[in-house]
Amino acid sequence: MSIYAKDTDPAFQAAGAKLGLEIWCVENQILVSVPKPSHGRFFSGSAYLVLSTILPKSGIPQHDIHYWTGKNANKVDSALASDKALELDAALGSCTVQYMELQGQETEKFLSYFKPCIIPIEGVYASQQTHLKSGTYKVTLLACKGDHVVHVKEVPFSRSSLNHNDVFILDTASKIFLFSGCNSSIQERAKALEVVQYIKENKHCGNCEVATVEDGKLVGDPDVGEFWSLFGGYAPIPQDSPSSVQKQSETPFVKLSWITTQGKLGPSRTDSLNKEMLETDKCYMLDCDSEIFVWMGRHTSVTERKTSISATEDFLRNQGRSAGTHVTSITEGLETAKFRSYFDNWPQTVELKLYEEGREKVAAMFKQQGYEVKELPDEEDIQPFIDCRGTLKVWRVDGDKVSHVPAPEQRKLFSGDCYILQYTYLGNERDENLFYAWLGGGSVMEDRRDALSHMNALVESSRGNPVVAQIMENKEPSQLFSILQTLIVFKGGMSQRYKQFVAEKCSADDTCDESKTALFRIQGTSPNNMQAIQVDTVSGSLNSSYCYILQTGTSVFTWIGNLASTRDHDLLDRMLELINPTCQAISVREGSESDIFWNALGGKSEYARGKEIKGYIEDPHLFMLSGIEADFKVQEIYNFTQDDLNTEDVLVLDCHIEIYVWIGSHSNIRSKQQALTLGLKFLETDVLVEGLSLETPIYVVSEGHEPPFFTRFFEWDQSKSNMHGNSFERKLAILKGKPQQLEAPVRNSWKAYSRETTPANLRSKSMSANGRTRSFSPASGASFPIIKSSNNLSSSTPIVRTLFRGSSLNGSPAESLASAGSPAADEKLFENVGTIQADGSEDDMNLLVYPYERLTVNSKDPETSIDITKREAYLSEEEFRMKFGMTKRDFYKLPKWKQNKQKMALHLF
């Protein structure tokens, strides 16, 4: 809610109370509200104020203020917009971040509000606009830059405006031309097509032709000739001079200056910066060369803040800084990740849910005093996003060998070992595969590397594009717990390297067995998601929030913490039946322990007694990775949608408790292991300065094979992820209204193991794969954010949650692999693979026939109307048999990789 003051501008009444955008424009030196139909229409002679309000998955609404100044706006309006931004900040309780935006130099965050673009209009905004129809259509030339958000700038209608690096749009009365510079990227060209679509719909009411012209390719295309005729005929575009390209320093110069109340800059600090330098009653300027931050202490007045911003703007003018220098104003406590990254060891802050924390403390206090307190219902049972009736296989890694773990032992892992888990489940009418590399917390580094290598070999030898994940013990995602349903993690290990490591340390082997004393912490959310984790056998391992099982050589104790819930008690009983079903356990409540119990733990000592506070839900962030081989760079994509997943890119979806590396099918990443390495680099970078652990789970997802637990973060349209061609070709096909040719993914069809053979003690109910409630990982104590998608279900009809009555998580009987990726292993692993359907063999019979010479990728006279992903399909049967040595029908029965290999050899791929 807004906080109002007597001197607050009336235009800000109820500002920030609704989610989304609110826009004001300076008109006759007063602020007027811009109606929603005019959002995104900016006049170059005016100054605007834009307020963005979002509601995170947890916490209070967040506000960003942008004050935008057109290139022809007068200084009075510009200064007024800057002052009003601070006034609006004060009205909202000084809890906003403010950005200065200049026409043509806008931040990507600002442009992301107005997708696909903003095209400033000449003139001045008037609240009572009169639309006069001109007799002649004005021809305009626009320059477009940007891969995910596009900067659109009108340039003079002249051949000299064209260059080889950018994409240009020539808008005429009857036709829109897209000119792509030879040095522009595919992503830039695709993004410019979105601008073409925008212009076509908004300026031409959808009634005009669209033509594409490629720089440097002069063929007998009438569109090309028509384009150049508008410039008076063709002439070569001169090359850019090397001096015009400005080189940026790898390490930007950073300088912190105090701003006095008179607007003067105090002494600067260029040495190591830390948070303690920032005093709460002062304002500071952090000069980062291409970006400047104004930090305003909590105990500064609005007048002091206005003076600081004016001083910063004067500094920019006096220094002759580039118009592209961005200015961001931040109030103490609301520092952005970019700002914090310039300081050493900026302290991590934890936002507590005070209401819940207080309620739980009061309830615990009343319980300890003997009063019966009715607990509020616990968080709902975890609902998995995939079908949990699938088939599980587990292998233990021991150097260059992997050995199959029998079904009864698949839920018993050792922290000194590494494991590979393969889970096969029913997806969207076909079987899907998910591989996990589980790395024990006590495992040696060599075993971890081998586990990833073995998993990569298994994935490469499998057909299709399975999802892979690297997870560390104690950082497991809830997805894994839902698949296993029951998990027991023991101390110690079985691998030779672990045994050797223990021997070299001259320490006792703590591998758990029945003769040793062992303490297990019980955790989970339901019988379908419960774990017993062996912890150090000392009283300091106890925690009042949990229940424990203590097993000695002669007896078994169950310990119930005072803050444990009735759900925890139920899980304790169930786990006891699994760990030691024959022994009669001695139940112990916290506070009533015997000396025998404490002696088994080596004596009584202090342990955690407070209620564990669950981490608050983090909103996901999407990042593009570039400079993959050498100069690793990360760029955030704001207000992301599925359309931001460009097929040429590698992106990371950061969900804080886990990350997803998404690989576009046209990117230069070819192996899952390489993608996992990129995920680790991203964790090391910690772009958001959020304290990401290097043990955060990493998923690798391939384009066209996205699982539901990834697509839930988007409004997902499955057809978009299965289209042919690069991003430019896809957008062009949609723009020209051609039928969207979808590429039917060829996947292996795994034969499900008979559920009747599943041992009765392993069967348990599982929730529907379409469950859409919140889930969280007991290990990390944080929750998954759920973004509902209207397109990720197979039917638009609401689906009622159902319980699966059976579960077949047992692996294949008596199976063993000598080494991952070997021919024998692959044959054994894939003996149940079904027949792959021919790829479009029926449709191919209706295609036109062209000679081989016109279909190759290096053809001198290429046929342009074909589907370039199926060049071979246009060959006649006779020529196809001559080139490939087989019929088309036999060819399409081959695995996809074999098809592609033969096509590459014949220059058809």
Side-chain angles (χ1 to χ4, degrees), residues 583-730:
C583 185
Q584 184 66 36
I586 303 170
S587 181
V588 177
R589 286 249 174 200
E590 182 179 2
S592 60
E593 301 87 352
S594 64
D595 290 340
I596 299 175
F597 176 85
W598 290 123
N599 290 337
L601 294 176
K604 185 177 181 180
S605 64
E606 286 300 314
Y607 57 86
R609 298 175 185 268
K611 181 68 175 179
E612 286 198 345
I613 304 298
K614 294 183 177 66
Y616 61 91
I617 307 170
E618 294 280 351
D619 279 14
H621 294 260
L622 185 67
F623 298 89
M624 182 176 69
L625 307 184
S626 60
I628 291 167
E629 294 298 329
D631 187 16
F632 184 73
K633 293 181 180 178
V634 179
Q635 177 185 353
E636 182 166 7
I637 300 170
Y638 300 98
N639 297 307
F640 63 85
T641 66
Q642 183 186 356
D643 290 333
D644 288 307
L645 302 177
N646 285 337
T647 184
E648 297 83 13
D649 290 340
V650 177
L651 301 118
V652 167
L653 185 68
D654 178 8
C655 302
H656 188 72
I657 58 174
E658 61 189 11
I659 68 170
Y660 297 83
V661 181
W662 181 88
I663 308 174
S665 57
H666 287 74
S667 73
N668 59 353
I669 299 300
R670 289 292 173 261
S671 77
K672 307 283 186 179
Q673 193 159 1
Q674 188 179 5
L676 287 172
T677 302
L678 290 177
L680 282 172
K681 280 189 176 182
F682 176 84
L683 294 177
E684 291 172 359
T685 306
D686 195 10
V687 184
L688 297 178
V689 198
E690 55 185 331
L692 278 178
S693 168
L694 294 180
E695 298 180 352
T696 301
I698 304 172
Y699 283 92
V700 177
V701 176
S702 300
E703 181 184 10
H705 304 264
E706 296 88 351
F709 51 91
F710 174 82
T711 60
R712 67 194 171 103
F713 296 105
F714 302 82
E715 291 288 337
W716 196 260
D717 181 353
Q718 187 61 39
S719 65
K720 289 182 178 180
S721 63
N722 290 329
M723 290 187 68
H724 280 312
N726 59 38
S727 53
F728 176 77
E729 292 165 339
R730 297 178 188 185

Side-chain angles (χ1 to χ4, degrees), residues 172-328:
T172 71
S174 59
K175 186 179 287 190
I176 303 174
F177 296 87
L178 180 77
F179 176 85
S180 301
C182 59
N183 297 329
S184 63
S185 68
I186 294 292
Q187 297 96 313
E188 283 183 308
R189 301 179 188 189
K191 206 65 188 176
L193 279 176
E194 294 182 15
V195 180
V196 171
Q197 179 78 35
Y198 173 81
I199 295 173
K200 179 180 177 180
E201 293 176 354
N202 289 274
K203 293 183 67 176
H204 297 268
C205 300
N207 299 318
C208 73
E209 294 182 47
V210 174
T212 57
V213 179
E214 193 166 345
D215 180 19
K217 290 194 176 180
L218 298 176
V219 295
D221 188 331
D223 288 333
V224 175
E226 184 180 354
F227 173 80
W228 287 112
S229 68
L230 294 170
F231 291 91
Y234 172 76
I237 301 173
Q239 295 290 336
D240 294 329
S241 60
S243 59
S244 65
V245 180
Q246 295 182 354
K247 293 183 179 180
Q248 294 184 350
S249 59
E250 294 183 0
T251 54
F253 180 75
V254 179
K255 181 170 63 175
L256 180 69
S257 303
W258 165 48
I259 305 176
T260 68
T261 53
Q262 292 77 33
K264 304 295 183 182
L265 295 182
S268 300
R269 297 286 297 270
T270 57
D271 53 349
S272 179
L273 304 180
N274 58 71
K275 187 184 178 183
E276 286 68 31
M277 295 178 177
L278 305 175
E279 299 180 33
T280 191
D281 59 347
K282 293 181 180 179
C283 295
Y284 296 83
M285 183 184 77
L286 183 68
D287 183 3
C288 308
D289 195 20
S290 62
E291 186 170 18
I292 287 183
F293 296 91
V294 179
W295 186 90
M296 303 172 292
R298 279 283 177 190
H299 295 150
T300 55
S301 65
V302 173
T303 302
E304 289 176 301
R305 298 179 185 189
K306 286 182 180 180
T307 302
S308 298
I309 292 175
S310 296
T312 302
E313 292 173 352
D314 291 340
F315 171 80
L316 286 174
R317 282 190 292 269
N318 296 334
Q319 292 283 317
R321 290 291 182 89
S322 165
T325 305
H326 293 138
V327 177
T328 304

Side-chain angles (χ1 to χ4, degrees), residues 430 465 647 664-666 702-706 717-726 729-730 739-747 837-840 843 867-872 892 896-897 899-900 903 909:
R430 56 176 169 246
N465 253 313
T647 184
S665 57
H666 287 74
S702 300
E703 181 184 10
H705 304 264
E706 296 88 351
D717 181 353
Q718 187 61 39
S719 65
K720 289 182 178 180
S721 63
N722 290 329
M723 290 187 68
H724 280 312
N726 59 38
E729 292 165 339
R730 297 178 188 185
Q740 295 184 16
Q741 297 178 336
L742 302 182
E743 183 179 0
V746 180
R747 309 259 186 113
Q837 298 297 317
D839 182 13
D843 295 335
D867 178 353
I868 61 173
T869 65
K870 296 173 62 176
R871 296 174 184 272
E872 77 290 345
Y892 287 124
K896 195 73 173 178
W897 67 271
Q899 295 179 26
N900 292 340
K903 287 161 64 174
F909 183 77

Side-chain angles (χ1 to χ4, degrees), residues 57 385 617-620 655 657 712-713 774-775 783-787:
K57 293 302 168 186
F385 292 93
I617 307 170
E618 294 280 351
D619 279 14
C655 302
I657 58 174
R712 67 194 171 103
F713 296 105
R774 183 178 303 166
S775 62
S783 300
F784 280 83
I786 297 177
I787 299 177

Side-chain angles (χ1 to χ4, degrees), residues 409-443:
E409 304 297 317
Q410 286 179 346
R411 291 165 183 76
K412 298 177 182 179
L413 307 181
F414 287 83
S415 64
D417 291 334
C418 297
Y419 297 82
I420 299 171
L421 295 82
Q422 179 190 356
Y423 181 62
T424 305
Y425 63 96
L426 180 63
N428 186 16
E429 299 182 353
R430 56 176 169 246
D431 286 336
E432 305 286 356
N433 288 286
L434 174 57
F435 284 87
Y436 286 102
W438 187 88
L439 310 179
S443 61

Side-chain angles (χ1 to χ4, degrees), residues 27-196:
E27 183 181 12
N28 299 324
Q29 297 188 23
I30 61 171
L31 278 187
V32 296
S33 178
V34 177
K36 277 197 172 182
S38 296
H39 285 191
R41 291 169 53 87
F42 292 88
F43 285 82
S44 61
S46 297
Y48 293 79
L49 208 59
V50 177
L51 171 65
S52 169
T53 302
I54 63 170
L55 183 63
K57 293 302 168 186
S58 64
I60 60 175
Q62 293 179 357
H63 308 284
D64 285 320
I65 297 175
H66 304 258
Y67 48 103
W68 184 92
T69 304
K71 63 180 181 180
N72 299 323
N74 60 57
K75 292 183 179 180
V76 175
D77 288 353
S78 177
L80 182 61
S82 176
D83 289 345
K84 289 296 180 181
L86 279 172
E87 192 175 311
L88 177 57
D89 172 65
L92 293 170
S94 296
C95 61
T96 74
V97 179
Q98 300 148 58
Y99 302 85
M100 183 178 74
E101 309 283 356
L102 299 178
Q103 180 180 338
Q105 303 293 337
E106 297 89 352
T107 62
E108 296 203 350
K109 190 169 193 176
F110 178 79
L111 291 174
S112 71
Y113 303 142
F114 307 102
K115 291 182 179 180
C117 65
I118 61 171
I119 304 177
I121 305 167
E122 291 296 323
V124 178
Y125 175 81
S127 51
Q128 302 297 326
Q129 289 284 347
T130 57
H131 300 282
L132 299 176
K133 290 188 177 180
S134 176
T136 58
Y137 190 88
K138 182 186 175 184
V139 178
T140 55
L141 183 63
L142 305 171
C144 301
K145 291 184 179 181
D147 293 346
H148 288 275
V149 293
V150 57
H151 290 81
V152 179
K153 178 183 179 182
E154 184 174 351
V155 294
F157 176 33
S158 168
R159 183 189 289 108
S160 61
S161 296
L162 302 176
N163 61 56
H164 297 290
N165 299 319
D166 299 326
V167 182
F168 295 85
I169 296 172
L170 180 61
D171 179 22
T172 71
S174 59
K175 186 179 287 190
I176 303 174
F177 296 87
L178 180 77
F179 176 85
S180 301
C182 59
N183 297 329
S184 63
S185 68
I186 294 292
Q187 297 96 313
E188 283 183 308
R189 301 179 188 189
K191 206 65 188 176
L193 279 176
E194 294 182 15
V195 180
V196 171

